[in-house]
Amino acid sequence: MQSKKLNKLIMIIFVLSFFSACTKDVIVTDPPTLAAPVPPKPGQTSYAGVIQPIFTAKCAGCHYLGGVAPNLVTGKSYQALTTSPGMIDTSTPSNSILYKKMATGGSMASKCTPADADSVLRWITQGAINN
Ligand code: HEC
């Protein structure tokens, strides 16, 4: 008799804990955005390895959240660039605002070298992948 009652009690606790688990686990998801970074293929210009270091060293001092857009801080820059219209144009890479600003004659050219701008152009030409 006692063990039947105990079983019932255990059952009730089990069921209650199940429901409370359901209500407590609020799953917070980021809004669906961009594909996770993928490793660069041989010959590809790596975003994480080549492009971001340029931004970090030469641009992010002004281009951060709350500063001048686009946000070029590590972990934020790819999304900022790819969601800002015209910033990156993979169909006509040299038309990308990002590249034009960095290339000779652009207003950001004094902050970087022609080689930096070329790396960015190559990366855009290769599809502007988060690699
Ligand atoms: C000293 C601060 C400063 C630094 C460093 C700097 N920028 Fe800028 N950037 C600005 C300002 C201010 C503007 C807005 C005026 C303009 O477009 O020239 C701007 C504009 C831009 C724009 C155009 C934004 C738009 O919406 O049209 C891009 C792209 C850009 N910068 C990229 C870069 C890159 C890449 C670097 C690093 C090589 C860089 N900037 C370094 C201050 C800076």
Side-chain angles (χ1 to χ4, degrees):
M1 271 312 219
Q2 280 293 59
S3 84
K4 256 193 178 172
K5 268 190 179 166
L6 193 65
N7 275 350
K8 228 180 189 175
L9 191 68
I10 288 168
M11 246 341 241
I12 288 167
I13 290 170
F14 177 78
V15 169
L16 283 180
S17 71
F18 181 75
F19 279 119
S20 74
C22 282
T23 53
K24 271 184 196 165
D25 289 347
V26 178
I27 298 161
V28 181
T29 50
D30 283 331
T33 48
L34 306 143
V38 293
K41 295 194 180 93
Q44 268 185 345
T45 300
S46 163
Y47 187 72
V50 177
I51 305 302
Q52 183 59 54
I54 297 170
F55 294 159
T56 302
K58 303 177 177 179
C59 320
C62 296
H63 290 274
Y64 55 90
L65 188 67
V68 187
N71 186 347
L72 296 177
V73 171
T74 304
K76 306 289 177 201
S77 60
Y78 186 82
Q79 179 157 5
L81 290 171
T82 51
T83 55
S84 176
M87 201 52 75
I88 289 174
D89 182 349
T90 49
S91 53
T92 314
S94 60
N95 237 358
S96 306
I97 295 169
L98 176 65
Y99 170 70
K100 287 199 287 192
K101 291 276 172 177
M102 294 175 75
T104 313
S107 58
M108 296 295 119
S110 65
K111 321 283 183 214
C112 63
T113 65
D116 293 336
D118 286 349
S119 295
V120 164
L121 182 62
R122 202 172 321 116
W123 171 72
I124 297 171
T125 304
Q126 291 170 348
I129 301 161
N130 191 6
N131 59 6

